[in-house]
Amino acid sequence: MSLVFLLLLLHGVVPGMRALSLCGWRRQEIGGNNLRYCGSSGENTLSVVNTEEALIVRSPLLTSGDIILQPQPGPYTFCLHWVPALRLLNFTYGVTKSWNVSAGPRPKSDLPPSEAQPPSYPCEPSYLLSNVTINGQPVGSSCSFSFPLQPTYTDAKSVEHEISQVADYLDKDNFFDTGQVFRGWIDATLSQVTFDGDRRHFGKGPLQAAVYKLHSPEVLTSLPDHLGISLSFPEELLEAMDPGTRLQVVRIRDSGALFQDAANSTVLDSQVVGVTLEGTPVSNLPEDIVITFYHQPLQVKSSLVCVFWDELSKNWRTDGCRTVPGEGHTDCRCNHLTYFALLMQVPGAVLPEVHLVSLSVLTFAGCSISAICCFFTIIWICCSGKMQSNPTLQIHVNLLGAVLLLDLGFILSAVLGALEERGPCIGAAAALHFALLGTFSWMAIEGFNLYRLVVKVFPASSLTTLKLALVGWGVPVLIVGAMLFMESYGVYHIAVERPSDYNSTASICWLTEPIVQVLNLGFCAAILLFNFCMMVAMTRRVLRLSAHTRAEKIRHCVTLLGLSCMLGLPWGLAFFSHGALFLPIQYIFSILNALQGLFIFLWYCTLSQPSAKKRSHSSDCTSATPASPRAEQSLSSDHKKLLG
């Protein structure tokens, strides 16, 4: 038998070939720099033929197409990798050029197989493929090689061979165009494989799989130790399953081609574990499923977070999963089944639990006080009877309304984030983002209005409140709509150092895409920079005024402090929360910004009080310098402009 097999190799035909690696040297003639792959519906083989014009790869699973190779003639090395299980063809030519071709289902032929054979080519010495190896074994030179395509097998021995062949390609760069093809293949293969007994293990190295027939909960205790995980299922779920339901467990050492998200996240030990039930989607369980990952102890335990792969967004997500660290292992408690992994978090972003509690209390209390103050300030301004005819007061009311929404949105997002319910959390995150964008938009409008009234003193008859409202509320609506379309909202986890070793993350409903968070930060930074320039101009204006009494000096300071709150300048502290300043800045930031509504309320109350100087100006005019009345009049005028 071995002699017959060797003779067939020397003649370029390999019977029963499944996964294939064909490598060798090709002498390229002038004008022959083409790779041509084409389908042939009448033949049940994969063939490689070298001619003067092209190197031709033919299979019924391919569609026609040409690829231009290096233009210079001469000898070139090439490798063709064919994995029929994944219907993927990878071709490498020369040193750097590599192409992947995804094959489709076999097309139907209008002609009988005998009448649709591929054309034959003469084999001349200059066309010979030399130094040819097939799956690492050297074979003789030839112009063409043919490999019969085999049907899909479901017996355990063939599936074992197929999984082992695919595992050899997992560490090869540029082989897999998409991990979705791989995941579809492994799930379908494990669903169809037949074997005796309650369990069967397949593969080794970078790809391992196990299939269990869940006749009883005891079957799960037999997970092989070398899979590096253990599973615990709720009894209610096991009792609700039909007898013989299959549990499929896959362990993959991913080089980055199968589960690569936009953020290039780092997976611990490059290990991804898939847990699925055959033909049964599992989600929103009342009791969590526990997947335990075993690993070497980490110096920073809270640098790990449990995630699952979202096939729609092609990203790692945390919705429905909690992280419970331990000594030498990490438990992922999730309410659904799919592919899971442990992501490495940046240690510098870890927040001690005691400070998390303190900051949470300060923020919740501050937001509650701020919301109440914003509400009463809005009522006060509306009841004054001046708002309808005063654009400045209308801008104040819109800003206060945005701050009110921001306070309520933060409280709602924090509460729903702790529950980690995906649907409600998406809505809460969108509402919080809209309120934040609205707050910053109206702070920018306040800065522009300040510049118009006090610094340049020019009318803006063309800028009505309606047009400003379209900017202040319309821009946030457009941005939030785009983020909803991109599915950028969800449960956002913050790494927390907990002495209790339970769930090393805190959750809030917020943006989950890193690139979107960067863009959002840039939007806020641009508005803060603009308002900082407005604040500098206003400070120069106020410092030029002459204050005659201590009360006037205090009034100047209150004006500047209130304007800084109106323009949102305390938000800029977030850009300095690094290193040793991280915790102090977090406390200052939380207090100042959580109480923004209170500070605006106090500022408005203070500047609304009549000045004592104004009541006695007539008796002091005779002794004042010529510049003093003008300075006082200018200051009073500026206060009136700011208050509306």
Side-chain angles (χ1 to χ4, degrees):
M1 180 64 70
S2 60
L3 179 60
V4 174
F5 183 74
L6 178 60
L7 290 174
L8 289 172
L9 281 178
L10 294 176
H11 286 84
V13 178
V14 181
M17 181 58 62
R18 296 177 66 78
L20 164 71
S21 291
L22 173 67
C23 299
W25 284 84
R26 175 197 183 225
R27 173 168 291 279
Q28 179 176 298
E29 303 295 337
I30 297 177
N33 56 328
N34 292 301
L35 169 64
R36 183 172 302 156
Y37 56 95
C38 53
S40 177
S41 57
E43 59 173 332
N44 194 31
T45 61
L46 170 70
S47 63
V48 180
V49 180
N50 188 35
T51 68
E52 181 180 3
E53 298 179 354
L55 182 64
I56 303 171
V57 180
R58 184 182 297 274
S59 169
L61 299 176
L62 299 176
T63 56
S64 299
D66 283 3
I67 295 176
I68 304 299
L69 305 175
Q70 282 88 339
Q72 296 83 6
Y76 286 92
T77 181
F78 72 92
C79 272
L80 178 146
H81 303 285
W82 167 248
V83 183
L86 303 181
R87 301 197 183 282
L88 286 176
L89 176 70
N90 175 262
F91 187 87
T92 304
Y93 196 77
V95 179
T96 59
K97 293 294 183 180
S98 179
W99 298 271
N100 289 334
V101 179
S102 297
R106 181 173 179 174
K108 296 182 179 180
S109 175
D110 295 329
L111 298 175
S114 59
E115 300 180 18
Q117 297 298 324
S120 60
Y121 300 94
C123 185
E124 298 182 6
S126 59
Y127 304 160
L128 288 175
L129 300 174
S130 59
N131 298 326
V132 178
T133 61
I134 297 178
N135 290 346
Q137 300 297 321
V139 299
S141 300
S142 178
C143 297
S144 63
F145 293 85
S146 297
F147 309 92
L149 298 174
Q150 297 289 355
T152 301
Y153 289 110
T154 60
D155 62 283
K157 185 176 180 180
S158 297
V159 169
E160 172 70 34
H161 174 74
E162 198 167 47
I163 289 178
S164 299
Q165 291 285 345
V166 173
D168 293 338
Y169 295 101
L170 283 178
D171 293 328
K172 296 181 183 297
D173 295 334
N174 300 323
F175 189 79
F176 293 99
D177 273 341
T178 170
Q180 188 172 5
V181 175
F182 170 84
R183 291 185 289 275
W185 163 75
I186 191 66
D187 291 342
T189 299
L190 296 180
S191 298
Q192 298 171 7
V193 64
T194 58
F195 58 90
D196 297 328
D198 292 335
R199 63 191 67 88
R200 182 63 186 259
H201 178 258
F202 302 95
K204 58 183 179 179
L207 177 59
Q208 299 180 55
V211 181
Y212 301 88
K213 298 176 182 177
L214 299 180
H215 295 295
S216 64
E218 288 74 21
V219 175
L220 292 177
T221 61
S222 63
L223 276 173
D225 295 336
H226 49 271
L227 278 182
I229 64 167
S230 63
L231 294 175
S232 176
F233 276 62
E235 293 185 2
E236 295 181 1
L237 177 61
L238 295 175
E239 293 174 355
M241 294 180 185
D242 295 330
T245 299
R246 293 188 177 202
L247 173 70
Q248 300 168 183
V249 183
V250 182
R251 179 181 179 270
I252 307 165
R253 190 178 68 237
D254 181 29
S255 62
L258 301 179
F259 298 90
Q260 189 62 63
D261 60 359
N264 293 321
S265 303
T266 302
V267 176
L268 178 66
D269 297 332
S270 300
Q271 178 179 248
V272 179
V273 173
V275 184
T276 56
L277 287 177
E278 174 194 2
T280 306
V282 178
S283 61
N284 299 321
L285 292 172
E287 186 178 349
D288 290 338
I289 295 169
V290 182
I291 306 101
T292 301
F293 290 84
Y294 295 97
H295 52 78
Q296 295 296 324
L298 301 178
Q299 294 182 350
V300 183
K301 293 188 296 182
S302 55
S303 62
L304 295 178
V305 60
C306 294
V307 292
F308 73 93
W309 183 255
D310 184 11
E311 200 67 65
L312 295 178
S313 64
K314 302 296 186 295
N315 276 311
W316 292 110
R317 306 181 71 99
T318 58
D319 310 46
C321 287
R322 294 182 294 123
T323 307
V324 184
E327 292 295 335
H329 70 274
T330 300
D331 291 343
C332 292
R333 300 177 179 270
C334 302
N335 63 3
H336 57 278
L337 290 181
T338 182
Y339 285 86
F340 302 93
L342 291 175
L343 286 194
M344 298 290 294
Q345 295 286 339
V346 180
V350 177
L351 187 66
E353 183 178 24
V354 61
H355 294 291
L356 174 66
V357 174
S358 300
L359 290 171
S360 299
V361 171
L362 287 174
T363 304
F364 272 83
C367 287
S368 300
I369 296 173
S370 176
I372 294 173
C373 291
C374 286
F375 177 77
F376 281 108
T377 307
I378 293 174
I379 297 299
W380 181 7
I381 294 176
C382 292
C383 293
S384 65
K386 301 178 181 179
M387 192 184 72
Q388 297 298 328
S389 59
N390 195 318
T392 300
L393 283 179
Q394 295 172 6
I395 294 174
H396 291 346
V397 168
N398 279 279
L399 174 59
L400 288 167
V403 174
L404 174 61
L405 292 177
L406 180 61
D407 294 330
L408 298 178
F410 177 82
I411 295 174
L412 179 63
S413 295
V415 173
L416 294 180
L419 301 177
E420 297 191 1
E421 293 292 338
R422 174 173 170 78
C425 207
I426 290 177
L432 177 60
H433 193 208
F434 171 77
L436 179 68
L437 294 175
T439 299
F440 273 83
S441 298
W442 282 105
M443 287 191 300
I445 293 174
E446 283 281 6
F448 172 77
N449 192 55
L450 171 69
Y451 181 82
R452 178 181 68 86
L453 291 177
V454 179
V455 180
K456 286 299 182 180
V457 193
F458 65 86
S461 56
S462 61
L463 295 176
T464 62
T465 305
L466 178 59
K467 293 181 180 180
L468 294 177
L470 291 176
V471 176
W473 298 115
V475 171
V477 167
L478 293 177
I479 295 177
V480 170
M483 295 301 100
L484 284 172
F485 178 78
M486 296 170 58
E487 298 183 348
S488 299
Y489 298 115
V491 182
Y492 179 76
H493 289 265
I494 304 170
V496 180
E497 182 179 354
R498 297 183 187 272
S500 58
D501 279 348
Y502 179 78
N503 197 359
S504 60
T505 59
S507 305
I508 188 173
C509 301
W510 186 233
L511 295 165
T512 57
E513 303 294 338
I515 185 62
V516 176
Q517 294 177 4
V518 172
L519 294 176
N520 184 67
L521 189 64
F523 175 83
C524 297
I527 290 180
L528 290 178
L529 180 61
F530 171 77
N531 280 353
F532 177 77
C533 296
M534 297 300 99
M535 186 65 186
V536 170
M538 183 61 191
T539 301
R540 294 179 57 187
R541 166 79 175 181
V542 172
L543 291 179
R544 287 200 299 263
L545 303 177
S546 299
H548 297 281
T549 66
R550 182 178 179 182
E552 289 296 342
K553 294 179 180 179
I554 295 176
R555 199 171 179 84
H556 290 6
C557 295
V558 170
T559 299
L560 295 177
L561 290 175
L563 288 175
S564 66
C565 291
M566 292 284 287
L567 301 181
L569 298 185
W571 286 87
L573 291 172
F575 295 94
F576 302 96
S577 57
H578 302 285
L581 296 176
F582 177 73
L583 280 176
I585 293 296
Q586 288 295 319
Y587 278 95
I588 298 174
F589 178 86
S590 299
I591 294 173
L592 292 182
N593 292 300
L595 294 174
Q596 184 177 9
L598 173 63
F599 294 147
I600 295 176
F601 172 76
L602 296 177
W603 173 77
Y604 195 83
C605 289
T606 302
L607 295 187
S608 296
Q609 299 300 317
S611 173
K613 187 76 175 179
K614 182 178 180 180
R615 293 193 299 267
S616 58
H617 73 282
S618 58
S619 60
D620 294 336
C621 284
T622 55
S623 60
T625 61
S628 297
R630 289 196 300 269
E632 180 183 344
Q633 183 180 3
S634 178
L635 177 62
S636 176
S637 175
D638 288 345
H639 288 165
K640 290 181 179 179
K641 290 176 181 178
L642 294 174
L643 290 173

